Amino acid sequence: MPSNIASAVDSWPQRFKSKPWLWTFTGLLLAVSGGIMIWSIFNALLHADPKHTWYAALGGTGGFVATAFGALIALALREISSKVQDVMLGFAGGMMLAASTFSLLLPGLAAANTHTDSGAIAALIVIVGLGLGVALMLGLDKVVPHEHENAGRHGPNAERIHRVWLFVLAITLHNLPEGMAIGVSLSNGDLAVGIPLTSAILLQDIPEGLAVAMSLRATGLSAGKAALVAMGSGLMEPLGAIMGLGLSSGFALSYPISMGLAAGAMIFVVSHEVIPETHRNGHQTPATLGLMLGFAVMMFMDTALG
């Protein structure tokens, strides 16, 4: 662990003393987040259908490859304007919102309804999953130091950690729920659900990988190092896919709950991270048009491929 990160972690106890109620709440979120992550990985490895595990691993690896491809494109580009970056991120955010709706929430509601025969109870089950997804991302957002190019630094002792590492940690927050969504969508072998969502995430990972590599270059990294770091961040997608698979393989209602969880995590990322970033440079209109285009493309893909 780099010394600047280690020193930041070492000072966490003093921060707990200064804000006990806030940090108690943060600790609970961290416990929920960590418990969900550890349990889901072990459950996937021990209990999931091997064929479904292969689907999830393949889909998550595809997310890594798409992110790496976008990062490699950055090697050939000298500079991308902030307006173009905002449009690309808006496009990715629109695809994530549509994927959450059409490929996660609606199939989750349908699956829950088959177990309960009640629309209201089915909705409550998926809402529980949404809440867990938000808790997971809140926990990560509170305890993982990270930085956004325009919004600045977030998380405990973020000011003590080098900007490059903060960007890498921020990328992790973006890629994990995308991988989880892939794993959840493929967890029961229903390719009519899994293929559209996975294809959409892979498609939006290309401009996302490009934008991340260009942002890292803005911190002072060389083009080659920025591309390598951005490519490495894509490794979170295979891990997230295995987590999503494990979340969906635990008990009868785990599939609709995990669909809600993946959707909640993705919607949280779009609202909390992507949209604010695209609006801070004064490019609200083109970024919003990019978001709408991404939403429309994902809706078309879900209908055509599903």
Side-chain angles (χ1 to χ4, degrees), residues 80-94 149-150 207 211 215 273-292:
I80 297 180
S81 69
S82 60
K83 182 177 181 179
V84 173
Q85 290 190 54
D86 289 340
V87 171
M88 290 192 303
L89 289 176
F91 180 84
E149 186 172 359
N150 300 303
S215 296
E273 310 282 350
V274 176
I275 293 177
E277 285 297 307
T278 62
H279 284 206
R280 283 197 175 93
N281 291 318
H283 304 139
Q284 296 92 329
T285 298
T288 300
L289 292 176
L291 184 144
M292 297 304 299

Side-chain angles (χ1 to χ4, degrees), residues 59-83:
T61 302
F64 163 71
V65 171
T67 302
F69 179 69
L72 288 174
I73 295 176
L75 291 175
L77 298 176
R78 305 186 77 179
E79 186 178 353
I80 297 180
S81 69
S82 60
K83 182 177 181 179

Side-chain angles (χ1 to χ4, degrees), residues 48-267:
D49 187 312
K51 184 170 78 170
H52 300 165
T53 302
W54 167 249
Y55 286 160
L58 186 63
T61 302
F64 163 71
V65 171
T67 302
F69 179 69
L72 288 174
I73 295 176
L75 291 175
L77 298 176
R78 305 186 77 179
E79 186 178 353
I80 297 180
S81 69
S82 60
K83 182 177 181 179
V84 173
Q85 290 190 54
D86 289 340
V87 171
M88 290 192 303
L89 289 176
F91 180 84
M95 295 196 76
M96 292 173 70
L97 286 177
S100 299
T101 301
F102 298 108
S103 296
L104 291 173
L105 292 178
L106 293 181
L109 287 169
N113 200 42
T114 61
H115 291 289
T116 63
D117 292 325
S118 169
I121 296 177
L124 288 174
I125 290 171
V126 176
I127 288 172
V128 168
L130 275 171
L132 291 174
V134 172
L136 174 64
M137 297 312 298
L138 272 176
L140 291 173
D141 186 72
K142 289 294 184 182
V143 302
V144 177
H146 58 287
E147 179 179 32
H148 303 284
E149 186 172 359
N150 300 303
R153 304 184 176 201
H154 302 274
N157 293 307
E159 66 280 357
R160 296 174 138 197
I161 304 174
H162 193 278
R163 289 188 67 198
V164 172
W165 291 107
L166 292 174
F167 271 114
V168 172
L169 292 169
I171 296 162
T172 300
L173 296 180
H174 282 266
N175 287 342
L176 184 64
E178 294 176 3
M180 289 171 56
I182 291 174
V184 169
S185 69
L186 294 167
S187 61
N188 67 350
D190 187 356
L191 298 183
V193 172
I195 288 179
L197 184 139
T198 301
S199 300
I201 289 178
L202 266 58
L203 181 62
Q204 64 94 28
D205 275 339
I206 297 174
E208 188 174 86
L210 173 61
V212 164
M214 298 304 293
S215 296
L216 286 170
R217 284 174 60 176
T219 69
L221 279 185
S222 67
K225 289 182 179 179
L228 285 175
V229 173
M231 291 168 63
S233 72
L235 292 172
M236 290 305 300
E237 297 218 15
L239 176 63
I242 298 301
M243 285 178 55
L245 176 69
L247 289 169
S248 304
S249 307
F251 49 92
L253 292 176
S254 62
Y255 180 70
I257 291 176
S258 60
M259 295 287 266
L261 186 150
M266 290 179 66
I267 294 171

